[in-house]
Amino acid sequence: MKTYIILFFTIIAIVIFNTGCNFSNDSNQIENDSLNNIDLNGEHSKKVKKIFYNVPSPIEMTAVIQKSGTEYKPEILNSYKFAGKYIKVPKQALILGVYGSDLSYVRLFDQIQLSINYLSSIKKLCDELNIPEEQGSFAISRMETNMDNRDSLLQIITETYASADLYLKENERGNTATLIILGGWIEALYISTTIVDFDLEQNKAIINRIAEQKYSLSNLVELLKSYPEDKDLQEYLPLLEDLKLKYELVQIDYVKGNVVTEKDKKLTTINSTAITKMSKTSFEDIKASILSIRNKIVNI
Amino acid sequence: MNSILKKVAIVAMAIVFPFIVNAQCKGFTKKECMPSLKPYVYNGQLNSAVLNEGDVAELLLTFYSGQDYRIFVCAQDMLGNIEFKLLDTDRNTIFYNKDHDLVKFWDFKSNSTQQLIVQVRVPVAEVKSEIVQSGCVSILAGFKE
């Protein structure tokens, strides 16, 4: 009888264990039935077992700001001093993403002291999120000696966020990693829409980059959908769906060109062109939506 | 009683094992794959999974205009040479590593921002075996400023 009781509780424990893990499982790796007819190698159709969705990093998104010559506006950022005011884990993860974008922005203007301040706040949040020092913020200890140039800082930011993402997914906390991505993407778009003047010709590259987020937004929405049981992520889904509706009015006309592969360089160049059309009204609508989501994120 | 406990242990192992393997997969990616992406900057998002032979996985990502990208497909040796393709959203093939000696990484540049798909496939073993080979596969994306 005792054996059966042990057996019963073992099975229950296993079921709970699995449910718990699935809840926070690295489920941006979802199974998908809609994508079939994969014809690799000319064989029978194969079903896609896993689909991953990537969102451009804040560094990629903000790179265009540097070239546009826009004025430096640190006052629009979420202050590094607020780090200690975020108590709950989901908020801390979102703000970790926000600070990543803020840091990417100040880095572009070579603001060394402010960069150190943001990195210290990032370290604090990593600690709060139980991301171990050697994984999530090991790079911080190097900052004093390595902050002399923009490239070193890029390395530190990249290592810090990549290690945090890896650690969280390694520990079945993919939902927390997704909150960081969400916070970072929204903040980068908030910075871009806030610093830009729609009517200025020299801002055209940033305006185009904002319009092009139509693609990344779709990936982000799918990423959030892959955590259906995470209420914190699902809370943002309707807001992103609403933003997606506004992005529907952004038109990207894509003209395919030739593809050139240089075997010796191991490089393929895709010579396509894209014409992006976004009206000022659409821009203002998108900007307002982004501001609203951003305020919800940074609100203490 | 011992026999029942053994069965319980086997069932428990069978259920818990995938989670252990999954964690090991992330460790493999960190040690064996990430360093090979340099000098490209890793985009910070881990795309790794335990796949069986014959499995197909896809990564959807955005390439920005004028930026250089590296796609690196990294897998455990027992899986053999992994095939990978870069597709556009109409599923036209832009690059197929089978045309280039099943190379593990390739660099890309796009003149316009676009959504692209990296599709990977684990080969099926030529010699049929009752044991299906499975192992860790990672798709890493890096960029240059």
Side-chain angles (χ1 to χ4, degrees), chain A residues 18 29 41 55 254 271, chain B residues 15 19 45 48 98 111 114:
Chain A
N18 269 324
Q29 305 158 6
N41 212 20
V55 177
Y254 180 70
N271 290 309
Chain B
I15 294 168
F19 296 98
Q45 288 156 75
S48 69
K98 210 170 180 186
N111 291 341
Q114 59 182 307

Side-chain angles (χ1 to χ4, degrees), chain B residues 28 51 53 75-82 122-123 125 133-136:
Chain B
F28 165 79
L51 298 179
E53 54 186 84
Q76 287 179 305
D77 290 341
M78 74 271 239
L79 293 177
N81 290 320
I82 306 292
V122 180
Q133 280 289 5
S134 73
C136 181

Side-chain angles (χ1 to χ4, degrees), chain A residues 87-145:
Chain A
I87 309 297
K88 292 183 177 170
V89 167
K91 207 63 152 175
Q92 288 168 338
L94 285 163
I95 297 301
L96 186 54
V98 167
Y99 282 164
S101 288
D102 290 345
L103 177 56
S104 300
Y105 177 70
V106 300
R107 165 186 167 266
L108 293 177
F109 296 91
D110 298 319
Q111 299 296 310
I112 303 299
Q113 187 52 52
L114 196 51
S115 296
I116 292 173
N117 294 341
Y118 270 107
L119 274 168
S120 298
S121 292
I122 286 166
K123 174 179 163 38
K124 191 180 172 76
L125 287 172
C126 282
D127 291 345
E128 292 288 336
L129 288 164
N130 294 319
I131 297 168
E133 178 79 12
E134 74 280 5
Q135 291 274 357
S137 48
F138 65 95
I140 313 289
S141 57
R142 292 174 8 217
M143 66 189 179
E144 294 286 359
T145 49

Side-chain angles (χ1 to χ4, degrees), chain B residues 64-82:
Chain B
Y64 284 134
S65 62
Q67 215 144 275
D68 298 326
Y69 290 91
R70 172 166 292 177
I71 298 297
F72 182 68
V73 178
C74 183
Q76 287 179 305
D77 290 341
M78 74 271 239
L79 293 177
N81 290 320
I82 306 292

Side-chain angles (χ1 to χ4, degrees), chain A residues 69-89:
Chain A
T70 53
E71 194 188 335
Y72 174 56
K73 293 179 180 173
E75 69 278 7
I76 66 164
L77 305 177
N78 192 41
S79 172
Y80 64 87
K81 293 176 185 168
F82 297 159
K85 296 186 177 178
Y86 299 100
I87 309 297
K88 292 183 177 170
V89 167

Side-chain angles (χ1 to χ4, degrees), chain A residues 79 195 197 251:
Chain A
S79 172
I195 60 167
D197 183 338
Q251 198 183 329

Side-chain angles (χ1 to χ4, degrees), chain A residues 26 131 135 159-173 177, chain B residues 23 25-31 34 42 44-48 138 140:
Chain A
D26 189 5
I131 297 168
Q135 291 274 357
E159 281 181 20
T160 302
Y161 280 85
S163 298
D165 185 81
L166 183 85
Y167 176 79
L168 291 168
K169 287 176 180 167
E170 205 171 20
N171 290 278
E172 307 298 341
R173 291 166 67 193
Chain B
C25 184
K26 311 285 191 286
F28 165 79
T29 305
K30 187 183 177 185
K31 280 185 192 155
M34 283 181 179
Y42 173 48
Q45 288 156 75
L46 183 71
N47 311 297
S48 69
S138 293
L140 302 181

